[in-house]
């Protein structure tokens, strides 16, 4: 990105030449803030330029997997943090596939009627899904990329011992145990198939001069201008299958490499938005070791804020309305199923609707902020003060978990149980806290076994 960085530097130089000596009055938010502190225009421009350069370089390095790499990857704290994150993931997210049911709404929200009517041509839909898997979604099957990003488990190579290798393998294999690998692959393939068909129709509409504003906007937000749309349409004329409701691109046969890359980029982006996969929407700090440790399991909420809430408010069309209804309905289903599996009482009334909205993902990080507010005020300020109950997603977590993340909470649970055992005051609840670190202990189909093991351990150590 040397050329782009040089462009920013030239703009900084041009602004410095035109800067006066008074208080900063530039149009950017940071420059206005600088003006409040009575910085000179030159100082404000220099600081603004430094920030822009650092941010662009950081985003580039994050794509390349270089940002946030610790100076010493073999430091004991770095290695320990990775082990803790993997144990938290494999010990706490056994039911994550059930929680992912509202993902289905995202496919409808991004693709509209084609997502609803595609079932009328199941054979063509399956064929299109296979093509999208060939182009992009197959990486989920092999790499489990979405789960690794959501749970901050992607790390550069480092020297590790046998125990760490074993824990890392558990983390990689856990995507099969909890069902997330087949779930992500299936729904990303479907989202890719529908976006492939929709983009192909949009490109052909551009070629024939019948494209709607929505079609042009959809192509443009994926980096495809009218010229590139015409090139894609030419390839579709030669190699595509444009019969029926679902169109095939047959992109592997295309002879225009630039058109192929643009089209594949569109499909990959649409997959990652439909089935939320965190990317550049995460704060840069979260890509560093400390950020990964403290904010594990928070990436979905941040990405959902951009890719569901803000995106939906900007579009505000019939597809978004359908997405909202489906997501809240499925959120309610998740709430009830989680209660049944965990032997909790189902939510009712206002508490149920708040829980359904939280489980839907539509609110982005708003309910994460609500959890922090409730933790800081002991429940006096937040949604539970209105509904009378904590949201089910947070009711099994300690107050500390909302403030410091699952890894600190997990460590504190183990320390608390150890201290209780040393005093001869071990309780069955302490045994349960230690069990939460055991990989797979909360997989829905193994809960009966986990409960028996927990009870047996409690009896063996004489827990009250």
């Amino acid at each position: 990105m040397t050329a782009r960085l040089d462009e920013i530097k030239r703009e900084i130089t041009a602004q410095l030449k035109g800067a006066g000596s008074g208080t900063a009055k530039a149009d950017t938010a940071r420059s206005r803030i600088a003006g409040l502190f009575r910085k000179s225009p030159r100082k404000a421009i220099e600081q603004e330029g430094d920030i822009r350069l650092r941010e662009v370089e950081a985003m580039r390095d994050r794509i390349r997997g270089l940002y946030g790499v610790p100076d010493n990857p073999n430091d004991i704290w770095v290695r320990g943090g990775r082990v803790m994150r993997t144990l938290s993931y494999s010990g706490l997210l056994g039911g994550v596939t059930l929680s992912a049911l509202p993902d289905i709404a995202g496919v409808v929200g991004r693709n509209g009627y084609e997502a609803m009517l595609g079932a009328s041509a199941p054979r063509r839909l399956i064929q299109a899904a296979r093509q999208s898997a060939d182009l992009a979604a197959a990486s989920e099957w092999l790499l489990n990329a979405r789960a690794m990003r959501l749970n901050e488990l992607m790390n550069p190579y480092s020297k590790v011992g046998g125990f760490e290798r074993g824990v890392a393998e558990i983390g990689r294999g856990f995507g099969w145990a909890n069902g997330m690998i087949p779930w992500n692959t299936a729904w990303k393939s479907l989202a890719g198939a529908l976006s492939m068909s929709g983009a192909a129709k949009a490109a052909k509409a551009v070629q024939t001069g019948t494209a709607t504003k929505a079609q042009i906007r959809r192509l443009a937000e994926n980096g495809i201008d009218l010229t590139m749309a015409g090139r894609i349409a030419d390839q579709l004329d030669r190699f595509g299958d444009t019969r029926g409701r679902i169109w095939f691109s047959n992109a592997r046969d295309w002879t225009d490499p630039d058109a192929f890359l643009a089209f594949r980029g569109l499909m990959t982006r649409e997959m990652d938005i439909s089935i939320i996969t965190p990317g550049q929407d995460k704060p840069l700090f979260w890509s560093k070791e400390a950020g990964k440790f403290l904010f594990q399991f928070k990436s979905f909420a941040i990405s959902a804020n951009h890719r569901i809430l803000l995106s939906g408010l900007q579009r505000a069309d019939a597809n978004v309305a359908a997405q909202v209804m489906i997501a809240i309905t499925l959120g309610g289903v998740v709430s009830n199923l989680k209660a049944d599996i965990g032997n909790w009482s189902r939510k009712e009334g206002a508490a149920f609707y708040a829980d359904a909205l939280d489980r839907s993902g539509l609110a982005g990080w708003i309910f994460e902020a609500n959890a922090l507010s409730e933790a800081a005020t002991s429940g006096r300020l937040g949604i539970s003060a209105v509904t009378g109950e904590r949201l089910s997603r947070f009711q099994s977590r300690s107050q500390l978990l909302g403030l410091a993340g699952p890894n600190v909470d997990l460590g504190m649970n183990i320390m608390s149980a150890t201290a209780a055992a040393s005093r001869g005051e071990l309780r069955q609840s302490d045994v349960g806290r230690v069990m939460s670190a055991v990989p797979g202990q909360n997989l829905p189909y193994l809960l009966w076994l986990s409960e028996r093991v927990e009870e047996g351990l409690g009896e063996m150590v004489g827990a009250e």
Side-chain angles (χ1 to χ4, degrees):
M1 295 186 68
T2 304
R4 297 299 183 188
L5 293 170
D6 287 344
E7 220 174 292
I8 296 173
K9 292 173 184 176
R10 284 195 294 272
E11 185 176 346
I12 294 170
T13 301
Q15 289 191 19
L16 286 172
K17 287 181 179 178
S21 57
T23 302
K25 294 181 180 179
D27 289 335
T28 62
R30 285 195 180 99
S31 294
R32 287 197 294 273
I33 292 172
L36 295 176
F37 293 96
R38 300 195 176 280
K39 292 181 180 178
S40 70
R42 295 186 62 84
K43 188 69 172 177
I45 291 169
E46 288 172 354
Q47 290 185 349
E48 180 87 5
D50 289 342
I51 290 169
R52 296 299 181 218
L53 289 169
R54 285 201 306 271
E55 287 176 345
V56 171
E57 289 172 343
M59 292 170 71
R60 174 202 64 196
D61 291 345
R62 184 153 66 176
I63 291 173
R64 299 173 64 194
L66 300 175
Y67 184 78
V69 176
D71 295 332
N72 180 12
N74 299 311
D75 183 86
I76 187 65
W77 295 107
V78 174
R79 294 163 64 179
R82 291 174 186 161
V83 169
M84 288 293 291
R85 292 200 302 274
T86 305
L87 290 176
S88 294
Y89 164 59
S90 57
L92 300 176
L93 294 192
V96 67
T97 302
L98 181 60
S99 301
L101 279 178
D103 284 349
I104 299 169
V107 178
V108 176
R110 294 298 298 182
N111 299 283
Y113 77 94
E114 284 198 301
M116 302 177 203
L117 300 180
S120 64
R123 184 173 298 177
R124 288 183 66 81
L125 188 59
I126 291 171
Q127 289 176 328
R130 286 174 178 166
Q131 283 199 20
S132 70
D134 285 344
L135 287 173
S139 63
E140 288 292 337
W141 193 262
L142 298 173
L143 302 177
N144 194 16
R146 185 193 183 206
M148 300 293 275
R149 289 185 187 178
L150 280 173
N151 300 293
E152 308 299 349
L153 300 180
M154 283 187 156
N155 292 301
Y157 294 107
S158 64
K159 297 177 181 178
V160 294
F163 172 72
E164 292 168 75
R165 278 196 298 272
V167 171
E169 286 303 319
I170 289 172
R172 279 189 284 269
F174 194 65
W176 288 102
N178 64 15
M180 277 303 281
I181 288 179
W183 174 271
N184 289 335
T185 304
W187 284 102
K188 278 201 167 188
S189 297
L190 178 61
L194 295 171
S195 63
M196 171 174 64
S197 179
K201 291 176 180 179
K204 284 294 294 179
V206 169
Q207 184 188 52
T208 58
T210 59
T212 64
K213 289 183 178 179
Q215 287 177 316
I216 293 173
R217 183 179 67 241
R218 183 76 174 273
L219 292 171
E221 71 180 56
N222 284 286
I224 296 176
D225 59 18
L226 299 183
T227 302
M228 182 56 71
R231 292 171 64 177
I232 290 172
D234 290 339
Q235 295 296 299
L236 290 167
D237 288 337
R238 295 179 59 188
F239 304 105
D241 181 344
T242 57
R243 298 169 295 164
R245 286 197 180 100
I246 305 298
W247 288 14
F248 302 164
S249 65
N250 295 324
R252 63 165 61 192
D253 300 324
W254 288 10
T255 55
D256 184 338
D258 292 334
F260 171 82
L261 290 174
F263 196 75
R264 186 176 67 177
L266 177 147
M267 287 180 58
T268 301
R269 180 177 180 273
E270 289 294 329
M271 288 180 192
D272 286 349
I273 293 176
S274 299
I275 308 300
I276 293 177
T277 306
Q280 295 287 12
D281 32 26
K282 290 193 305 182
L284 290 170
F285 173 69
W286 290 22
S287 292
K288 296 185 177 181
E289 289 296 315
K292 292 177 182 178
F293 187 84
L294 293 173
F295 298 105
Q296 190 180 17
F297 303 163
K298 307 296 185 186
S299 298
F300 178 87
I302 291 294
S303 295
N305 193 69
H306 289 80
R307 303 185 186 199
I308 299 179
L309 180 60
L310 298 182
S311 174
L313 290 172
Q314 288 173 335
R315 290 186 290 135
D317 54 20
N319 293 345
V320 173
Q323 179 180 3
V324 169
M325 289 188 292
I326 294 172
I328 292 177
T329 300
L330 291 175
V333 171
V334 172
S335 176
N336 285 338
L337 288 176
K338 289 275 189 177
D340 294 343
I341 292 172
N343 284 327
W344 308 330
S345 296
R346 287 187 173 188
K347 303 284 186 183
E348 296 181 353
F352 171 75
Y353 290 109
D355 214 51
L357 179 59
D358 175 48
R359 294 284 187 180
S360 72
L362 294 172
W365 51 259
I366 292 174
F367 283 116
E368 296 288 342
N370 173 77
L372 294 178
S373 173
E374 291 183 355
T377 63
S378 300
R380 291 190 298 273
L381 183 62
I383 195 70
S384 63
V386 178
T387 64
E389 298 180 49
R390 291 183 72 189
L391 297 168
S392 65
R393 193 160 57 94
F394 300 94
Q395 69 186 30
S396 62
R397 307 180 189 181
S398 71
Q399 299 290 349
L400 181 63
L401 175 57
L403 296 171
N407 300 294
V408 175
D409 194 69
L410 192 64
M412 293 296 291
N413 282 341
I414 294 173
M415 290 172 61
S416 174
T418 303
S422 67
R423 296 192 304 268
E425 300 174 357
L426 191 68
R427 296 180 177 275
Q428 189 66 42
S429 57
D430 295 318
V431 177
R433 292 190 185 99
V434 174
M435 280 286 293
S436 66
V438 177
Q441 54 83 26
N442 73 336
L443 288 166
Y445 53 85
L446 291 181
L447 278 178
W448 64 273
L449 179 60
S450 299
E451 290 171 358
R452 291 187 180 183
V453 170
E454 185 178 320
E455 291 170 2
L457 285 174
E459 291 178 5
M460 185 175 68
V461 298
E464 296 181 18

